[in-house]
Amino acid sequence: MSASAENTSSFDPTIQSEDIAFSPDELVTCSHCGRSNAPNRLQCMYCGNALDVEPAAVGKPILRVLETWERGFNLILPAGERLVEPNAIAEVLSIGPEQALAMLASGTSLPIARVESERIADLLLQKASTIGLSLRVISDDDLLSEKLPVRLGGMEMGDDGVTLTDFNTAATH
């Protein structure tokens, strides 16, 4: 398919009720690879470069499941957030209303999304705030997920403080 044929709208009112394609003037060109992207993307779908778009101008962001090795940003629903309409949450997070209802009914803080960049996390925070939802963001780097937990083997209280003993190494701190 030629580049000019790729960018022309193929709307046919005899078989479609509405034109669902983006017009060529709506597309965003990547400054790194020069390819056109949908205006609802924050990163180039071809090279991954950040696109020069305002996050607020992006409608519904395209979210993808991260690979286990990828670093991400976790959106946390605080325990007190229960007065928000489940359908509104479902729309912001691109999930089903029944999933949103289960999140709200859990009664505890829980992670509700994991996204690939701080920019997308900020966009979701902005969208969540418009429906009265106050989320928190914690990066994988802040969670120190690559560091193994330290098991406590013992604890002694003394006049000069507390001494902790590591279960695996017997080292004291």
Side-chain angles (χ1 to χ4, degrees):
M1 180 185 287
S2 71
S4 61
E6 184 179 321
N7 289 334
T8 59
S9 178
S10 58
F11 175 63
D12 183 352
T14 61
I15 59 173
Q16 293 174 279
S17 61
E18 62 182 307
D19 188 0
I20 59 171
F22 296 111
S23 66
D25 60 321
E26 290 178 300
L27 298 177
V28 177
T29 302
C30 175
S31 61
H32 185 258
C33 71
R35 292 179 145 174
S36 297
N37 288 269
N40 60 344
R41 295 192 65 87
L42 292 172
Q43 292 177 279
C44 178
M45 65 184 274
Y46 302 101
C47 70
N49 189 56
L51 294 173
D52 188 24
V53 294
E54 283 297 317
V58 175
K60 193 176 195 179
I62 298 171
L63 303 178
R64 69 176 181 83
V65 176
L66 299 183
E67 300 290 335
T68 55
W69 53 266
E70 288 182 282
R71 310 303 288 158
F73 293 83
N74 306 281
L75 279 82
I76 310 299
L77 176 69
E81 296 291 324
R82 301 295 177 255
L83 302 175
V84 180
E85 171 63 35
N87 290 333
I89 295 173
E91 180 67 25
V92 168
L93 298 175
S94 302
I95 60 173
E98 62 284 345
Q99 290 174 302
L101 189 58
M103 288 178 196
L104 290 172
S106 72
T108 186
S109 295
L110 71 155
I112 59 172
R114 187 166 175 261
V115 297
E116 62 192 284
S117 71
E118 191 170 15
R119 196 168 177 209
I120 294 173
D122 288 342
L123 170 67
L124 290 174
L125 284 178
Q126 288 174 12
K127 291 192 175 298
S129 70
T130 65
I131 63 168
L133 189 62
S134 178
L135 302 177
R136 306 286 185 267
V137 176
I138 302 174
S139 73
D140 286 347
D141 291 336
D142 289 341
L143 290 174
L144 301 174
S145 59
E146 70 282 346
K147 183 179 177 191
L148 295 174
V150 176
R151 294 176 57 196
L152 185 61
M155 180 170 58
E156 291 183 30
M157 306 279 260
D159 292 335
D160 44 321
V162 178
T163 303
L164 305 174
T165 306
D166 184 313
F167 180 82
N168 294 326
T169 65
T172 58
H173 305 279

